[in-house]
Each structure stands twice: as C-alpha cells, then as structure tokens.
Amino acid sequence: PCYGVGRFIMENGAKGCEVVISGKLRAQRAKAMKFRDGYLISTGEPKKHYIDEAVRHVLMRQGVLGIKVKIMLAHDPEGRMGPKIQLPDNVIVHEPKEDAPVMQPADQGFGTGGYENQG
C-alpha cells in the first residue's frame, strides 16, 4: 500500500516523498518501515518552505500504528502549487552566447629567438 501512496504523490507533481510506518506491523515486535521516492531535503531553511509533513496515529487491535508522510513540493514561480522561493543550491546553466570567432594575430617574428639571421 505504501508504494501506491508514494506513486500517487509523485504523479501529482511532487519532487520527492517519504512514507514512514512504525509500530507492530506483522509480528509482536515493533518495526519502522521507510518508503522513499525522488529528491528530499532534510535540513536548513528551505526545509521550512519545501517540505510538507503530516503525522497520523491509527488504532489497531494489536496496538497503535504511526504514519508519517513527508512531501517535497516542486518550485512554483506563481506560488500556487509550491513555494515561490528557489532552492539556494539550484544551479542554472545558460547556453553560451554566439560570439565572432577570435582571430589569431599575424606572426611578427617574436618567438623565433633571433638566431636565424646571425652568421
């Protein structure tokens, strides 16, 4: 079921997601299972803007299951579907400008050492 949730989140335009389920999953012993997909930042100032987080407790017969979901939103310049602020480490590579080719200067005889005319 967690793979389906992760796929649904990623299909709806998220950059990354993490689903953590912890508690008595199958046996008596409690476990935590993490399911991750995509790109997810975990620290710093951008985390406050880019990560949307939710925690729910599900009461089962054997005990309580905890479900945490983290979604990393994609950058949106309008600010409707995600944060307006761009990631600080985002690098934009521009195409080089079309310049006129650099011409080689004409040879003026400086690099020969001056030994050919001695004699």
Side-chain angles (χ1 to χ4, degrees):
C2 292
Y3 292 114
V5 171
R7 191 167 62 245
F8 178 76
I9 292 170
M10 294 303 285
E11 284 171 359
N12 283 308
K15 255 189 171 182
C17 69
E18 179 184 59
V19 179
V20 181
I21 297 181
S22 57
K24 294 182 189 175
L25 297 173
R26 289 177 187 260
Q28 255 329 89
R29 177 70 75 132
K31 267 186 178 177
M33 295 178 80
K34 288 185 180 182
F35 302 89
R36 285 185 182 165
D37 196 7
Y39 177 61
L40 201 75
I41 56 171
S42 58
T43 59
E45 177 71 19
K47 180 185 175 186
K48 296 176 187 173
H49 305 290
Y50 276 88
I51 299 289
D52 203 0
E53 206 169 343
V55 178
R56 291 289 176 266
H57 306 292
V58 182
L59 303 173
M60 306 288 278
R61 241 181 327 141
Q62 302 142 320
V64 181
L65 282 184
I67 300 173
K68 288 183 190 174
V69 178
K70 285 184 185 179
I71 299 172
M72 175 143 173
L73 306 167
H75 171 68
D76 184 15
E78 283 87 50
R80 277 187 242 122
M81 292 291 289
K84 274 186 179 179
I85 304 162
Q86 217 167 7
L87 281 171
D89 60 349
N90 192 17
V91 178
I92 300 167
V93 179
H94 297 289
E95 288 294 319
K97 295 178 188 172
E98 286 294 323
D99 290 336
V102 179
M103 301 300 290
Q104 283 285 71
D107 189 27
Q108 296 174 350
F110 292 135
T112 56
Y115 295 113
E116 68 272 352
N117 290 338
Q118 292 180 359

